[in-house]
Amino acid sequence: MTTVRREAFGRMPPEEGGGEVEKFVLQSDSVRVEILSFGCIITTLETKDRDGQFSDIVLGFDTLEGYTRKHPFFGAVVGRVANRIANGRFNLNGKEYQLFINNGPNSLHGGAKGFDKVLWSPEVLPNGVRFFRLSPDSEEGYPGDLKVWVTYTLSGRELAINYQAQTSKTTPISLTNHAYFNLAGQATFPILLQGSQDVYDHKISIEADSYLPVDDTKIPTGEVAAVQGTGFDLRQPVELGKHLQKFHLDGFDHNFCLHKGQDRRLVARVFHPPTGRTMEVHTTQPGIQFYTGNNLDGSLKGKGAATYPKHSAFCLETQNWPDAVNKPHFPNVLLHPGEEYNHTTWLVFNAA
């Protein structure tokens, strides 16, 4: 049985239109999640450890002000196109489109004001909440009026996120949620004030035989490389800290190529031995970006005044492959009029 509650969370600044931001609290016996109508942001995600104790396992802020200021997409839905597009440019039907450049020479997560920085219209469901917005033609440089629905539903230990979209003109689209996880839980985050908390003790596995090597601006080179014999082979669980040391890696910020298929499949699993928490990721998407919070630097004040240093969280962003609009041999990222974009990701939480 899931309960759904809505409450006021704050108001947008006057220069942003001053609209009211609501918070939706979804609760089952084993999971409690809070989601904002601003950016469809997951602000809180509480799950049980092996002793049955709830703790918050995502990074974020206590107030709306934290989310309206610049931050690394904590908990937000990003789009129209998640991840990077090289030089913020692509060609469609003989026309070149130029997007906003916001990540070195590239466009990242939708541009200057992506889906993470706007108010969505909410609708309460029996076991969740559905958000809607219309992204107008040429918003952030993208073609077509795009209608988008993001639906969060909670059932027992499973949080499902469904993304649907329809367009009036052919457009690239790839949506994901950018939650930052630390399965140790918020109870231990005050330790972050000393900068000692990290995700090195997490054990992770990703069901991928190949990954995408990137250039120095994090754009895929176009090669689809086998993980076999490399530090990117995560098909068997590895302890993150030891694995990074062994392969002299500064962290991950790479797309892993998932086994083809439109059906739900298990693609990643994370286990935190000290608390017994596990998180499984299931999805219909062709890729998953594994990011280890390499750019966190302790400068942001998060929940309870905690600081979030480098490697204090990880992201598992289910999505299409980065820069697919410029790489014809990557999975199709284009949505045409009359078609529907429809993808779901499931997060399943357990304690052992």
Side-chain angles (χ1 to χ4, degrees):
M1 180 68 187
T2 300
T3 60
V4 183
R5 200 171 76 245
R6 71 193 295 175
E7 53 192 62
F9 188 71
R11 290 195 77 80
M12 295 295 291
E15 63 271 19
E16 295 287 336
E20 186 184 3
V21 177
E22 289 185 287
K23 177 172 76 177
F24 297 82
V25 184
L26 282 47
Q27 187 156 6
S28 71
D29 290 343
S30 42
V31 177
R32 182 175 177 277
V33 58
E34 300 181 3
I35 308 155
L36 301 184
S37 57
F38 176 71
C40 303
I41 291 170
I42 294 174
T43 61
T44 301
L45 180 51
E46 295 178 359
T47 69
K48 288 178 177 178
D49 64 11
R50 66 165 61 90
D51 300 321
Q53 296 296 308
F54 277 98
S55 193
D56 184 7
I57 59 168
V58 294
L59 273 53
F61 304 102
D62 294 321
T63 64
L64 177 61
E65 189 183 19
Y67 291 106
T68 55
R69 290 195 299 240
K70 185 173 169 57
H71 67 95
F73 305 96
F74 284 151
V77 165
V78 292
R80 244 178 234 202
V81 175
N83 218 309
R84 294 169 179 85
I85 294 178
N87 303 309
R89 275 202 302 270
F90 60 89
N91 280 287
L92 265 185
N93 303 324
K95 181 178 176 185
E96 182 172 271
Y97 291 86
Q98 179 64 58
L99 311 172
F100 188 81
I101 305 296
N102 63 337
N103 184 254
N106 307 314
S107 184
L108 175 70
H109 293 330
K113 189 176 181 180
F115 289 3
D116 59 297
K117 299 181 183 69
V118 292
L119 268 178
W120 294 63
S121 302
E123 174 194 355
V124 172
L125 305 175
N127 62 339
V129 58
R130 176 181 294 127
F131 298 102
F132 170 79
R133 80 172 297 251
L134 173 67
S135 171
D137 187 18
S138 76
E139 180 175 60
E140 289 297 322
Y142 288 98
D145 287 329
L146 187 75
K147 293 178 178 174
V148 191
W149 295 264
V150 177
T151 306
Y152 292 89
T153 48
L154 181 62
S155 177
R157 303 187 310 267
E158 182 174 279
L159 177 66
I161 314 172
N162 173 258
Y163 308 89
Q164 291 168 276
Q166 299 164 355
T167 186
S168 65
K169 295 178 186 172
T170 299
T171 184
I173 178 172
S174 176
L175 303 176
T176 194
N177 178 283
H178 208 310
Y180 285 69
F181 298 97
N182 183 323
L183 300 188
Q186 179 75 22
T188 63
F189 281 177
I191 301 168
L192 295 178
L193 297 171
Q194 286 85 53
S196 60
Q197 186 63 28
D198 51 55
V199 289
Y200 296 147
D201 59 355
H202 289 52
K203 292 186 173 177
I204 182 154
S205 58
I206 297 177
E207 301 277 336
D209 298 327
S210 53
Y211 77 102
L212 300 181
V214 293
D215 67 17
D216 56 8
T217 74
K218 300 283 193 293
I219 291 288
T221 60
E223 180 191 1
V224 180
V227 300
Q228 182 76 37
T230 75
F232 294 88
D233 192 346
L234 305 177
R235 292 173 295 184
Q236 296 298 314
V238 302
E239 188 175 319
L240 194 54
K242 290 178 180 171
H243 186 80
L244 293 176
Q245 274 187 323
K246 177 182 175 182
F247 288 95
H248 307 292
L249 297 169
D250 187 47
F252 289 95
D253 191 2
H254 295 79
N255 178 83
F256 287 75
C257 309
L258 303 175
H259 301 297
K260 288 187 170 59
Q262 288 303 301
D263 297 331
R264 171 177 176 160
R265 57 216 187 280
L266 172 66
V267 298
R269 187 174 184 272
V270 187
F271 173 53
H272 184 244
T275 61
R277 284 192 183 89
T278 64
M279 181 177 88
E280 290 179 358
V281 183
H282 303 243
T283 193
T284 59
Q285 290 273 26
I288 189 166
Q289 185 86 3
F290 179 37
Y291 173 54
T292 49
N294 313 329
N295 297 321
L296 297 174
D297 59 6
S299 61
L300 284 174
K301 281 276 191 291
K303 298 171 188 175
T307 56
Y308 299 137
K310 183 175 180 174
H311 297 164
S312 59
F314 65 89
C315 305
L316 286 166
E317 304 156 66
T318 54
Q319 56 189 45
N320 204 317
W321 299 5
D323 201 34
V325 71
N326 290 313
K327 297 191 167 56
H329 61 296
F330 281 10
N332 174 45
V333 73
L334 297 179
L335 179 67
H336 302 280
E339 298 176 344
E340 182 172 66
Y341 175 92
N342 194 334
H343 277 289
T344 307
T345 292
W346 296 264
L347 304 176
V348 184
F349 303 97
N350 278 297

